[in-house]
Amino acid sequence: MREITHFIDGASVASTSGRTGDVFNPNTGEVQARVALATPAELDAAVASALRAQQTWALVNPQRRARVMFEFKRLVEARMDELAELLSSEHGKVIADSKGDIQRGLEVIEFACGIPHALKGEYTEGAGPGIDVYSMRQPLGVCAGITPFNFPAMIPMWMFGVAIAVGNSFILKPSEKDPSVPVRLAELMMEAGAPKGVLNVVHGDKTAVDAILDHPDIKAVSFVGSSDIAHYVYSRGTANGKRVQAMGGAKNHGIILPDADLEQATKDIIGAAYGSAGERCMALPVVVPVGRKTADEVRERVLAELETLKVGISTDPAAQYGPVVSAAHRKKISDYIDIGVKEGAELVVDGRGFKLQGYEDGFFIGPSLFDGVKKGMKTYDEEIFGPVLQIVRAETFEEALALPSEHQYGNGVAIFTRNGRAAREFAARVNVGMVGINVPIPVPVAYHTFGGWKRSAFGDTNQHGMEGVKFYTKVKTVTARWPEGAVEDSAFVIPTMG
């Protein structure tokens, strides 16, 4: 049985806790490895290593830190196939999707390669008589990231790429469901030239999370996961004086206006709803056609696409999506489908009975489709996080606009239309953090920022881009004067620059 250990101070470290978690192969349902679950003492060891490393790493000039990022990027790209196969073996997503997971993370590393420019401060010459004012961005110290199972490469790189580039050290607590790729990334960061202790990986459950949130030497915490846990992380972390950005759940809507290219919109919706088995915070599990004619046509087109959708093992190049991550998660999705039926929605396609020949014990679930879903239904109000698409019919543009705007989540939304004025108005008015116009999964590029609204995000700063630089640094402002001649008298009033 393969053992997955912590990575502390540049080396694998066996756990002393005696507690482990099972890591499954979702394709077969078999346990393939056991991952150590840390104690607070083991987290302390990681923090001590990170503290030592950060003191010297912060003194390395930004250009040399950027060179480490360039080399890390090169090493990850050279091992893309190996990393994607490892990721798929623990998560279950198809290989092509795993490569996309890694590539989107690397885009943030590419942004971090330009950190010398991003760290430049502001300068005002002659703000007063002989007085100059300038600002600088300095690292916080030891930072931490708590990441989910659905993107075990991308989201860690979102966090540690920027944090390390600006001069912090970092402790990563990845999901215990698919922890191997985060460990490999840490190993590659060391190979790229980062000093030992700059990036540590500590596995664990709530015990490790609470230890991170309570540790006085951890200055900032970034989190991605469910909204309830995001709120908990934000509340406990900020109560302990930390900076916290905590990204929560989502219920992203796809609005389809009557003038949309329905063929393209339907294909986009299918990919966004069922890709990665729906296990994406930017998935599009709700489609809102405007008008009965549009809704009926969208339904028929979705049904036709579902007949061609192939579910297979993660290494099958013809499969559109693979198994979900665990048996428990498959049951949760199935339970939501049960609830939807009881609530009165029409279950047009039922994926609960799906079995893949030769892989009957794998965590597979077929695509499901509901029609007639209404506001107030539990399955509409909550995040299912599986291959379930819901049709919510709207009669007017205003009704369609209100649905995502009034929902408890505000992560992403998309509108499909040929009408530029309608799209512009929708983007301006919708109460959601990220908007796609004829783009089904509106994840911003790495030099912009990622972040939702309402219960999809807690905290004031988004992930990556310049928002990430701001989150992982503190601003120091210096007002300087170099006097000439005799020493002036003491000043007893606050100076002005007039």
Side-chain angles (χ1 to χ4, degrees):
M1 180 64 62
R2 181 165 60 94
E3 301 292 333
I4 302 170
T5 61
H6 309 304
F7 188 81
I8 299 173
D9 206 38
S12 296
V13 176
S15 178
T16 59
S17 71
R19 298 188 307 124
T20 61
D22 290 337
V23 178
F24 291 89
N25 180 339
N27 296 288
T28 64
E30 298 172 331
V31 176
Q32 61 167 308
R34 291 193 177 92
V35 59
L37 302 178
T39 63
E42 289 169 322
L43 178 72
D44 287 343
V47 174
S49 170
L51 274 170
R52 290 191 301 270
Q54 197 274 330
Q55 292 170 6
T56 55
W57 180 242
L59 299 177
V60 175
N61 71 59
Q63 189 171 352
R64 291 186 180 276
R65 293 200 299 262
R67 288 172 185 165
V68 172
M69 293 294 154
F70 273 110
E71 179 62 9
F72 175 74
K73 174 179 178 291
R74 187 191 70 80
L75 291 171
V76 173
E77 288 173 336
R79 291 160 177 78
M80 177 68 77
D81 291 342
E82 165 204 331
L83 290 168
E85 290 170 8
L86 182 59
L87 195 160
S88 289
S89 73
E90 293 182 351
H91 177 278
K93 65 176 70 177
V94 297
I95 296 290
D97 206 17
S98 290
K99 289 182 177 180
D101 184 335
I102 298 164
Q103 183 58 45
R104 288 311 296 262
L106 280 177
E107 290 172 7
V108 176
I109 301 301
E110 289 174 343
F111 171 80
C113 289
I115 209 65
H117 179 76
L119 281 177
K120 289 192 303 184
E122 299 172 323
Y123 190 96
T124 299
E125 181 184 11
I131 297 175
D132 303 325
V133 180
Y134 61 94
S135 64
M136 60 185 80
R137 289 198 167 272
Q138 296 184 325
L140 302 176
V142 179
C143 302
I146 303 167
T147 57
F149 73 83
N150 59 325
F151 285 97
M154 180 183 77
I155 295 177
M157 284 192 273
W158 276 8
M159 298 176 183
F160 71 65
V162 178
I164 291 173
V166 301
N168 299 297
S169 56
F170 200 85
I171 296 170
L172 175 64
K173 205 299 287 182
S175 170
E176 63 275 22
K177 293 182 174 66
D178 45 11
S180 291
V181 166
V183 173
R184 282 294 293 132
L185 293 176
E187 292 170 346
L188 292 174
M189 183 64 75
M190 299 301 100
E191 188 177 338
K196 64 182 183 180
V198 163
L199 178 56
N200 299 294
V201 180
V202 176
H203 307 291
D205 50 13
K206 186 176 184 296
T207 298
V209 170
D210 288 346
I212 289 170
L213 298 176
D214 294 342
H215 203 292
D217 290 322
I218 294 176
K219 303 304 180 185
V221 177
S222 184
F223 171 87
V224 176
S226 70
S227 288
D228 288 344
I229 300 177
H231 184 257
Y232 171 81
V233 167
Y234 181 77
S235 300
R236 186 159 178 164
T238 53
N240 285 321
K242 304 183 191 307
R243 288 189 181 184
V244 181
Q245 51 178 191
M247 306 300 166
K251 194 75 172 186
N252 306 321
H253 295 56
I255 314 300
I256 302 183
L257 299 188
D259 70 329
D261 181 337
L262 293 186
E263 181 179 2
Q264 185 62 55
T266 302
K267 290 182 181 297
D268 286 345
I269 290 285
I270 291 292
Y274 298 107
S276 197
E279 295 172 316
R280 294 172 176 158
C281 63
M282 289 298 285
L284 211 62
V286 178
V287 59
V288 184
V290 176
R292 180 175 179 178
K293 180 180 178 182
T294 306
D296 289 345
E297 185 171 350
V298 166
R299 170 173 164 153
E300 292 308 310
R301 286 179 177 274
V302 168
L303 283 171
E305 290 289 333
L306 289 183
E307 290 180 0
T308 68
L309 193 62
K310 181 177 180 181
V311 182
I313 60 172
S314 56
T315 54
D316 182 353
Q320 272 84 29
Y321 76 83
V324 297
V325 72
S326 68
H329 190 58
R330 180 180 59 186
K331 184 179 186 305
K332 177 184 174 183
I333 297 166
S334 180
D335 289 346
Y336 268 117
I337 296 172
D338 293 341
I339 292 168
V341 172
K342 292 175 183 176
E343 289 178 322
E346 179 190 0
L347 183 57
V348 183
V349 178
D350 185 356
R352 289 173 293 181
F354 180 86
K355 294 287 184 182
L356 187 64
Q357 186 175 0
Y359 296 89
E360 288 79 8
D361 294 329
F363 307 140
F364 294 93
I365 185 166
S368 294
L369 174 66
F370 277 106
D371 196 356
V373 176
K374 307 288 186 183
K375 285 178 60 177
M377 290 183 175
K378 183 180 177 72
T379 55
Y380 172 75
D381 292 340
E382 298 182 5
E383 183 178 38
I384 298 175
F385 218 61
V388 181
L389 178 61
Q390 297 173 291
I391 299 175
V392 180
R393 296 176 178 233
E395 291 300 321
T396 65
F397 173 85
E398 290 296 330
E399 185 183 347
L401 173 67
L403 285 166
S405 295
E406 296 172 1
H407 201 280
Q408 65 168 328
Y409 297 122
N411 207 43
V413 68
I415 184 169
F416 298 89
T417 180
R418 291 185 173 94
N419 188 320
R421 181 176 178 180
R424 186 174 185 272
E425 181 180 353
F426 181 86
R429 292 176 57 194
V430 71
N431 186 25
V432 172
M434 291 174 283
V435 181
I437 298 173
N438 298 311
V439 175
I441 305 178
V443 179
V445 292
Y447 43 90
H448 285 263
T449 66
F450 179 101
W453 292 359
K454 297 177 284 188
R455 279 181 52 80
S456 290
F458 300 88
D460 300 322
T461 311
N462 284 355
Q463 299 270 356
H464 62 72
M466 284 306 298
E467 288 277 288
V469 173
K470 292 176 182 178
F471 180 76
Y472 288 114
T473 58
K474 52 192 175 185
V475 176
K476 180 180 289 181
T477 305
V478 180
T479 303
R481 179 179 64 181
W482 299 100
E484 297 178 1
V487 177
E488 299 179 13
D489 292 335
S490 300
F492 290 94
V493 294
I494 189 167
T496 64
M497 300 301 177

